[in-house]
Amino acid sequence: MLKIKTLENIHLNSQVAIKPDYLIHPTVSGNKFRKLKYNLKKAQSGNYKGLITFGGAFSNHIAATAAAGQELKIPTVGVIRGEELITQIESNPSLRYAQSCGMHLEFVSRLTYKNKTDPAYLQQLLETFKDYYILPEGGTNALAVKGCEEILTLNDQSFDIICCSVGTGGTIAGVINGSLPTQKIIGFPALKGDFLKEDICKFATKSNWELWGDYHFGGYAKVDSKLIKFMNEFKLTYNIPLDPVYTAKMMYGIFQSIQSGKISQTAKVLAIHTGGLQGVEGMNIRLKKKRIEEIV
Ligand SMILES: *Cc1c(COP(=O)(O)O)cnc(C)c1O
């Protein structure tokens, strides 16, 4: 079993606090730890020889799964989107890290990767990796949601609004389930598209939530110099690092919504820092190539 640290919320000012979930474990960061917790337990319980999961070139989930697998001595396989990446492991910090943790990387074409939930494809994978436990892309399933139900604690019941970044929706579903019906949960999607709502409804047991879709900055893993500038100023001011894919977009959305009055100045806000900091190095390599200011 992986151990986590219990941490106090960090108050940025009289209105906004951050739940520093990014610090709960040194290598299995933030919500990925929460999502893995019960899945790892299942993978360890008798019938499985290892764990297979799926992700893109800079995936926080892949990095976290690799680190957890190493610590718990569970063999892991990462099915990675993009065949060309096989020659780029050394120059990609996330993949290099996953491999150094002992994860076996299986690179597939974007077309093959689309089959990631197709039973016939999964069966084919299981022929190579016999008796492995299959965890979906992003690690979202019922056990992941159960883990995320542990993010909020009794101490958090005094907040009116709880904010969370959203990728596949598993994390926010757990947060919703762990909240009071009188609290409002606001999700900030890191990607474009309306499909998320349905996915969250599959797991959420309450309807005290909304998605605010105006802060994706062009889509998944897309950034601009305005966002980078915001992240760098935020770190300078509060000494808290943000990640460019998820938490920076959420914090930007929160600050802007307070400024515009969309979030009332009397509402107490808790922002969940879900982690993702392993992605900063890879993002900086891309920013440097594009000659955009880098993340400090
Ligand atoms: C993966 C991730 C998310 C999104 O989690 P979902 O459960 O997929 O919605 C949010 N923040 C960070 C830092 C992540 O790595």
Side-chain angles (χ1 to χ4, degrees):
M1 193 58 177
L2 297 172
K3 286 227 169 61
I4 74 166
K5 275 200 223 147
T6 314
L7 299 152
E8 301 275 324
N9 293 331
I10 302 166
H11 290 265
L12 302 186
N13 51 46
S14 59
Q15 179 168 24
V16 184
I18 288 203
K19 176 170 285 297
D21 245 34
Y22 69 109
L23 296 172
I24 56 177
H25 187 276
T27 53
V28 190
S29 176
N31 68 332
K32 298 304 183 280
F33 183 106
R34 307 284 185 179
K35 296 175 82 169
L36 281 166
K37 179 177 170 183
Y38 293 105
N39 278 299
L40 291 169
K41 247 189 192 168
K42 182 154 179 194
Q44 278 183 309
S45 66
N47 301 334
Y48 300 102
K49 292 211 168 76
L51 184 152
I52 303 184
T53 196
F54 304 80
F58 301 96
S59 168
N60 296 331
H61 168 64
I62 289 290
T65 305
Q70 182 179 43
E71 195 167 319
L72 298 174
K73 300 188 171 57
I74 301 171
T76 54
V77 174
V79 178
I80 308 297
R81 190 173 98 246
E83 278 167 317
E84 74 287 358
L85 295 167
I86 195 165
T87 60
Q88 297 166 27
I89 300 174
E90 281 314 307
S91 59
N92 179 311
S94 305
L95 295 177
R96 194 175 60 217
Y97 175 73
Q99 196 175 55
S100 77
C101 290
M103 179 178 259
H104 171 80
L105 301 177
E106 189 80 6
F107 294 93
V108 301
S109 69
R110 284 169 171 73
L111 202 63
T112 303
Y113 191 84
K114 283 198 175 131
N115 297 325
K116 63 191 184 248
T117 58
D118 176 47
Y121 176 64
L122 297 179
Q123 196 48 49
Q124 197 186 318
L125 274 175
L126 287 176
E127 275 162 30
T128 313
F129 302 103
K130 275 198 185 51
D131 300 321
Y132 271 53
Y133 177 65
I134 293 180
L135 185 57
E137 181 184 46
T140 290
N141 57 15
L143 290 176
V145 173
K146 179 177 168 187
C148 292
E149 290 172 2
E150 297 171 0
I151 293 176
L152 293 180
T153 67
L154 285 175
N155 287 336
D156 302 324
Q157 295 192 341
S158 59
F159 290 96
D160 305 303
I161 293 177
I162 292 155
C163 298
C164 178
S165 326
V166 178
T168 60
T171 303
I172 194 172
V175 171
I176 293 163
N177 296 351
S179 70
L180 294 174
T182 49
Q183 292 178 310
K184 182 147 157 197
I185 317 304
I186 300 172
F188 292 84
L191 62 173
K192 287 192 253 184
D194 278 339
F195 51 92
L196 269 173
K197 252 194 157 133
E198 258 174 66
D199 291 345
I200 296 169
C201 285
K202 263 187 236 159
F203 295 111
T205 55
K206 288 192 211 65
S207 51
N208 57 340
W209 57 280
E210 280 177 21
L211 295 181
W212 288 3
D214 292 337
Y215 304 100
H216 55 65
F217 284 78
Y220 187 74
K222 299 254 168 43
V223 299
D224 65 13
S225 46
K226 195 167 65 180
L227 184 71
I228 305 293
K229 194 162 167 274
F230 171 79
M231 295 174 68
N232 288 344
E233 279 176 13
F234 187 90
K235 179 150 179 217
L236 212 63
T237 310
Y238 303 109
N239 201 22
I240 297 173
L242 298 173
D243 88 291
V245 179
Y246 295 102
T247 52
K249 293 177 180 181
M250 168 190 71
M251 280 318 303
Y252 185 96
I254 293 171
F255 276 34
Q256 209 172 59
S257 303
I258 289 173
Q259 212 165 38
S260 72
K262 192 172 175 187
I263 292 178
S264 148
Q265 297 206 341
T266 57
K268 295 267 180 268
V269 179
L270 179 67
I272 299 167
H273 192 320
T274 39
L277 298 173
Q278 70 83 31
V280 170
E281 196 184 341
M283 180 61 81
N284 271 342
I285 294 174
R286 281 173 285 165
L287 292 173
K288 196 169 191 169
K289 278 191 194 141
K290 290 190 198 159
R291 296 172 191 276
I292 299 175
E293 182 189 353
E294 288 172 52
I295 300 159
V296 294

